[in-house]
Amino acid sequence: RSRQDILSTNRRLMQRERTLDLMEAMNKSKAQVLELAEKNLDTIVPAYTNGVQAQPTTFAHYLLAFSSAFGRDSARLQESYARLNLSPLGAGALGTSSFPVDRKRLAELLGFDGPIENSYDAAQLGALDQGMELVSLCSNAALTIGILVQDFHTQYHQPYPWIMIQEGRLTGTSSIMPQKRNPYGLNVLRLQASDIVGGAMTFQLEAHNVSPGMPDYKRDQVEKTLELTSNAFVKLADLLDNLVIDKARALQEVDADYSTTTELADILQRDSDVPFRVGHHFASDLVTYGRTNKMKPADIPFDVVQQIYTEAVKKFDFERTQFPLTQAQYKKSLTAQNMLDSSKGLGGPQRAEVERMLVVEKNKLAKDVAWLDQQRQKLAAASAKLDQTFYKLGK
């Protein structure tokens, strides 16, 4: 009986429990993501690259991207759990014992899937790399949570945001400015995501350049990080349940900018055989004119559009200088709905693809829920068997 393998075993038991708790919190959070997505299949919102409005999408399409990312975290967690759920017990300090300890039997009674075979690894090395794997997984999930929260925060910054938080416990007024509704739900979750990343780095620093047998990486930092990550997913689910989405305001933000001009260039190439570089240059000149004159895309007079096109194509010695679209075709090309409906690619924002992906994500979630239930049933059965075994020994 050595503190070395007993401590390593206790750590794995505690980390196993917290890993399953994390999986439960992730499942609940993902369920909330999917519920919100299903409610917003037709909610057109702006999407951004480099911090600038890029193209329109739907809020459902956007949320399903995060569901997919969190799904990878779930897969990693299950893969990690298979390595975590192995028993160090019976390894002794590092070289087992002269007593005939049945390590496989010990693993079975504690609900492990088997023992860590090499006793030196079991008592001295496994806690380091297994802990690093778990905190890294937590850090990765926290990065995705942070991205989502920061996106919401960017919208919340606006005078008339299309994402709001239901007034109440997740918002708060300023102590001096009565007009403010501070997004406490966002602030706390973003800070907690940073704490998770910091916790992962703390474990890495504790474990760095430490010789085997030292207690540095065998303390409770992994458990703390797992608990903090579970709590972050609980907070995320609560936040998503309290969001207020203004569909009309979101569409106004899309219509106020030029994010559909990609489709205008595509239509010119696809329907009128205008080379994309020519159509792209025209669309860029159109944007420059509109922004310079403080006009929305739909407000630019059609005769000005025709003139801009004629001037733009001359730079390429393109012989067809007359704008090939009718006014009705041009107006339609600039609508966000037309751009979404025109999407053809796998995984795109078109309604049919979003509905298909929603079904896929729901099926993945159902499998994750079933996996968690299976693991907990196995542990409950092992615990009952352990009690029965001790009871028999007492007789």
Side-chain angles (χ1 to χ4, degrees):
R1 299 194 330 169
S2 169
R3 287 175 298 176
Q4 298 291 335
D5 67 337
I6 291 174
L7 178 60
S8 294
T9 303
N10 286 344
R11 285 290 172 220
R12 283 181 180 258
L13 290 171
M14 289 187 285
Q15 290 167 16
R16 180 174 71 180
E17 178 185 353
R18 286 157 179 78
T19 296
L20 295 180
D21 288 344
L22 174 55
M23 188 67 174
E24 182 177 2
M26 291 169 67
N27 287 345
K28 289 180 179 179
S29 182
K30 188 174 177 181
Q32 200 64 51
V33 170
L34 296 180
E35 182 179 331
L36 190 58
E38 193 162 21
K39 292 177 180 177
N40 288 277
L41 291 170
D42 296 315
T43 302
I44 298 174
V45 301
Y48 298 82
T49 60
N50 293 297
V52 179
Q53 190 177 147
Q55 292 183 350
T57 186
T58 65
F59 197 43
H61 183 245
Y62 169 84
L63 289 171
L64 288 174
F66 283 90
S67 176
S68 179
F70 289 136
R72 290 193 291 274
D73 291 324
S74 298
R76 294 184 186 108
L77 197 66
Q78 292 176 42
E79 292 165 5
S80 180
Y81 184 84
R83 289 180 283 273
L84 172 66
N85 201 35
L86 297 174
S87 172
L89 198 60
L94 55 88
T96 69
S97 169
S98 57
F99 290 95
V101 177
D102 188 343
R103 294 190 61 215
K104 291 184 178 179
R105 176 66 169 158
L106 289 174
E108 178 189 351
L109 289 172
L110 291 176
F112 287 107
D113 293 327
I116 300 174
E117 186 169 294
N118 186 289
S119 61
Y120 193 101
D121 181 20
Q124 301 302 336
L125 303 182
L128 190 153
D129 74 288
Q130 186 64 58
M132 193 66 231
E133 182 176 9
L134 288 171
V135 297
S136 296
L137 191 154
C138 291
S139 180
N140 193 81
L143 291 175
T144 305
I145 290 175
I147 291 171
L148 181 62
V149 170
Q150 190 55 33
D151 272 356
F152 291 170
H153 220 283
T154 298
Q155 287 302 320
Y156 203 91
H157 289 169
Q158 309 305 316
Y160 301 102
W162 57 268
I163 292 179
M164 292 292 290
I165 303 173
Q166 188 71 43
E167 281 197 40
R169 55 190 173 77
L170 296 184
T171 63
T173 58
S174 165
S175 57
I176 189 173
M177 295 165 282
Q179 84 281 5
K180 294 191 73 181
R181 300 296 182 269
N182 293 321
Y184 289 165
L186 295 175
N187 296 348
V188 170
L189 187 52
R190 187 185 59 204
L191 177 60
Q192 190 156 325
S194 298
D195 284 342
I196 293 166
V197 175
M201 294 177 68
T202 297
F203 178 81
Q204 186 173 10
L205 289 171
E206 289 176 345
H208 179 60
N209 280 347
V210 175
S211 56
M214 296 296 181
D216 302 50
Y217 56 88
K218 297 179 180 179
R219 297 182 291 175
D220 61 351
Q221 186 58 43
V222 176
E223 292 92 284
K224 287 179 180 177
T225 306
L226 285 166
E227 289 173 358
L228 199 60
T229 309
S230 294
N231 184 258
F233 274 103
V234 171
K235 283 185 170 67
L236 176 60
D238 188 30
L239 174 67
L240 293 171
D241 190 43
N242 282 275
L243 289 183
V244 178
I245 309 300
D246 189 334
K247 297 183 180 183
R249 177 68 193 95
L251 184 58
Q252 283 179 354
E253 191 163 329
V254 172
D255 289 342
D257 207 346
Y258 287 81
S259 62
T260 58
T261 50
T262 300
E263 182 60 19
L264 174 59
D266 286 349
I267 288 173
L268 288 172
Q269 180 182 33
R270 187 173 59 246
D271 298 344
S272 302
D273 199 27
V274 176
F276 184 76
R277 64 190 182 96
V278 177
H280 184 283
H281 186 80
F282 154 67
S284 180
D285 285 352
L286 188 72
V287 171
T288 299
Y289 176 89
R291 287 178 174 165
T292 300
N293 291 277
K294 295 181 172 47
M295 290 181 174
K296 297 178 182 178
D299 294 337
I300 302 176
F302 189 61
D303 61 330
V304 174
V305 173
Q306 294 172 313
Q307 182 181 348
I308 293 172
Y309 178 83
T310 299
E311 294 299 320
V313 301
K314 285 180 180 178
K315 298 173 184 177
F316 296 90
D317 294 325
F318 191 62
E319 57 187 31
R320 287 182 280 129
T321 59
Q322 184 175 353
F323 189 53
L325 303 182
T326 66
Q327 185 169 0
Q329 289 172 327
Y330 166 72
K331 293 286 187 181
K332 182 181 178 181
S333 73
L334 291 178
T335 64
Q337 189 63 60
N338 175 72
M339 187 169 181
L340 295 175
D341 292 342
S342 299
S343 298
K344 304 296 182 185
L346 175 72
Q350 63 271 37
R351 176 68 180 255
E353 269 299 275
V354 172
E355 289 180 332
R356 182 191 65 78
M357 288 188 288
L358 182 61
V359 172
V360 169
E361 291 299 319
K362 284 184 176 181
N363 289 337
K364 288 180 183 178
L365 176 58
K367 290 179 181 178
D368 289 342
V369 170
W371 178 89
L372 177 61
D373 186 55
Q374 181 185 33
Q375 303 313 312
R376 286 200 158 139
Q377 286 182 20
K378 284 170 60 177
L379 294 183
S383 180
K385 187 174 183 180
L386 179 62
D387 290 341
Q388 291 171 5
T389 302
F390 270 107
Y391 179 73
K392 289 179 181 177
L393 289 174
K395 288 187 174 181

